[in-house]
Amino acid sequence: MKKFLALILALVMALALVACGGKSNPTPAPSGEGDKETTPTEEYKVAMVTDYGDITDQSFNQTTYEACKAFCDDNTVDFTYYKPAGDTTADRVAMIEKAVDDGYNVIVMPGFAFAGAIVEAAPQFPDVKFIALDVAEGDLLAEGVAAAGETYDYNPANWDFDKYVDLTNVYCAVYQEELCGYMAGYAAVSLGYKNLGFLGGMAVPAVQRYGYGFVQGADAAAAKLGLTDVKINYVYGGQFFGDADITAAMDTWYSNGTEIVFACGGGIFTSAVDAAKKVDGKVIGVDVDQAGVIQGYAGAEDTSMTVTSAMKGLYPTTYDTLTDVIVNGNWANYAGKVATLGLVSGTDPEANYVQIPMESTQWADSFTQDNYKELVAGMFAGTITVSNDISKAAADFATVVTVNDQGQIKG
């Protein structure tokens, strides 16, 4: 009897093993999805490489890191991040190579500084999917031309992009910074500020678009209000961090009547804040809602220093792209493209990829949330237009405001 029972048990186990072996025949894709990738999410591993900062920078790196982590936690995808040893293309390429060596096949990179790394590293790893935020065609072309030993004249129309840059396995998302810059400038003047300042980091296209949009928004609000005494000090720091020299320049601005400064360029906001807090001045944040980080840096007990922020949708761009690529299998819709993200809704400002924050903006009777929604509706409909032509000077966009262009502080 024991031998008979053992035989029956062995037969049952054998049948169970045959049934388990059915996993070698995958379930066909649902009808209409045959053109999508069907790779399970567990075959993806996501890595983020920081530009030259850390994931606590309250800006590009932190926002991108948080979006990557949230997506991977929500979808049980392996995730880690790498921080380059220094601020060079070679340092960033080294981290990309390490990530690939460690088995990561989706690499997210925030910031224009990755242009050189993309040109150099992406073609080496054709099976890796690269997702880059805020890396524009001009950034890539400049690096590609330089890598070819030629001199770029900063006019993309003169160059064959595909000859110098291979984006076969790369997706880049860039933003219409001029739109949220416009919103911030319009808000500042509408809220009663007449002596404004724009402190850019380096004069790269994204920062220029922010600044030119800011001038256009301030000019439009001044024209609507019938003001002719609105002034804008305009300067680039020449770097993406604050220091004593830049703070001294901001001290001069604030002491001579500047009320509010749009600090646009990474950590350069620290110089604006250092100067502003001496005279109860105001600032405008950039890229993300910076009210919290500015408050923390200033050591203030409230967020009254930050009037608003000109924001890019870094978080939704990252989360939504990873979802569509990994969960939905739609990489083919992204590979090889540089997409410009801006307004997608005329009725819901928070759905847009460029905006000012509904929560922390210091609304007043002169500029309410409803006024802001009307502004966005006009921009979405095209009745309000904003130029992104960076071949001009900031003052070229002024019709009723006065722009005092002071060039560059350093460099």
Side-chain angles (χ1 to χ4, degrees):
M1 176 62 81
K2 289 182 179 180
K3 290 183 179 180
F4 177 74
L5 290 174
L7 181 62
I8 294 297
L9 180 60
L11 180 61
V12 171
M13 292 177 65
L15 290 173
L17 289 171
V18 171
C20 291
K23 290 184 179 178
S24 62
N25 298 315
T27 302
S31 176
E33 296 185 4
D35 57 337
K36 295 182 179 180
E37 299 174 16
T38 57
T39 307
T41 57
E42 59 263 26
E43 292 191 15
Y44 283 107
K45 296 178 67 176
V46 176
M48 173 198 158
V49 179
T50 65
D51 53 4
Y52 44 81
D54 206 343
I55 59 170
T56 58
D57 67 354
Q58 298 281 343
S59 188
F60 263 69
N61 290 306
Q62 182 169 345
T63 304
T64 306
Y65 169 82
E66 290 174 350
C68 287
K69 188 174 187 308
F71 166 81
C72 291
D73 286 348
D74 291 345
N75 294 278
T76 319
V77 174
D78 190 3
F79 169 66
T80 192
Y81 82 97
Y82 296 84
K83 180 181 178 179
D87 181 18
T88 69
T89 290
D91 292 322
R92 285 180 275 274
V93 169
M95 288 300 97
I96 290 172
E97 292 173 342
K98 178 169 175 49
V100 175
D101 288 344
D102 290 344
Y104 290 89
N105 51 15
V106 177
I107 298 179
V108 182
M109 303 165 292
F112 77 95
F114 278 97
I118 290 170
V119 169
E120 181 176 339
Q124 299 179 35
F125 306 108
D127 295 329
V128 175
K129 296 172 173 60
F130 292 92
I131 298 171
L133 306 176
D134 224 36
V135 182
E137 284 191 4
D139 301 325
L140 293 163
L141 190 54
E143 294 291 344
V145 170
E150 302 176 43
T151 302
Y152 183 47
D153 62 4
Y154 292 93
N155 185 352
N158 295 338
W159 301 85
D160 180 357
F161 183 86
D162 293 336
K163 175 182 176 181
Y164 297 95
V165 182
D166 181 2
L167 290 185
T168 303
N169 56 332
V170 181
Y171 169 67
C172 297
V174 295
Y175 300 87
Q176 292 180 282
E177 293 92 354
E178 69 276 6
L179 299 185
C180 51
Y182 184 101
M183 297 172 192
Y186 193 96
V189 173
S190 297
L191 289 168
Y193 298 99
K194 293 185 178 182
N195 294 305
L196 288 63
F198 174 80
L199 170 62
M202 296 176 68
V204 297
V207 176
Q208 290 176 292
R209 288 192 293 268
Y210 267 129
Y212 291 1
F214 183 71
V215 172
Q216 291 175 74
D219 191 74
K224 181 178 180 179
L225 295 171
L227 303 175
T228 58
D229 57 347
V230 174
K231 301 176 182 178
I232 305 175
N233 284 324
Y234 196 102
V235 77
Y236 296 101
Q239 59 192 35
F240 286 116
F241 56 91
D243 64 12
D245 294 330
I246 297 173
T247 300
M250 294 299 100
D251 282 333
T252 300
W253 279 13
Y254 280 108
S255 63
N256 287 335
T258 296
E259 302 166 286
I260 186 169
V261 172
F262 180 16
C264 177
I268 205 166
F269 78 90
T270 58
S271 281
V273 172
D274 285 339
K277 65 183 181 182
K278 299 172 186 176
V279 295
D280 195 27
K282 306 298 181 183
V283 297
I284 294 172
V286 74
D287 290 336
V288 298
D289 184 353
Q290 284 196 313
V293 66
I294 288 173
Q295 172 194 3
Y297 178 79
E301 294 182 357
D302 57 54
T303 58
S304 62
M305 181 179 285
T306 310
V307 171
T308 191
S309 296
M311 299 165 54
K312 298 177 182 179
L314 300 170
Y315 191 105
T317 303
T318 303
Y319 193 101
D320 294 349
T321 302
L322 289 173
T323 298
D324 208 22
V325 169
I326 294 178
V327 177
N328 300 334
N330 284 326
W331 175 242
N333 294 339
Y334 296 85
K337 297 180 180 179
V338 179
T340 301
L341 306 181
L343 303 179
V344 295
S345 174
T347 57
D348 180 8
E350 293 184 291
N352 293 319
Y353 287 103
V354 286
Q355 57 182 270
I356 59 175
M358 295 291 282
E359 183 176 349
S360 66
T361 296
Q362 295 181 21
W363 310 105
D365 290 342
S366 60
F367 190 65
T368 66
Q369 289 190 359
D370 286 339
N371 296 144
Y372 169 52
K373 291 177 181 178
E374 291 172 5
L375 178 68
V376 172
M379 296 171 76
F380 184 77
T383 56
I384 298 173
T385 58
V386 186
S387 174
N388 64 357
D389 185 356
I390 59 174
S391 68
K392 297 182 177 182
D396 292 337
F397 296 101
T399 63
V400 297
V401 303
T402 300
V403 176
N404 177 20
D405 193 334
Q406 300 177 13
Q408 188 162 298
I409 298 173
K410 311 189 77 168

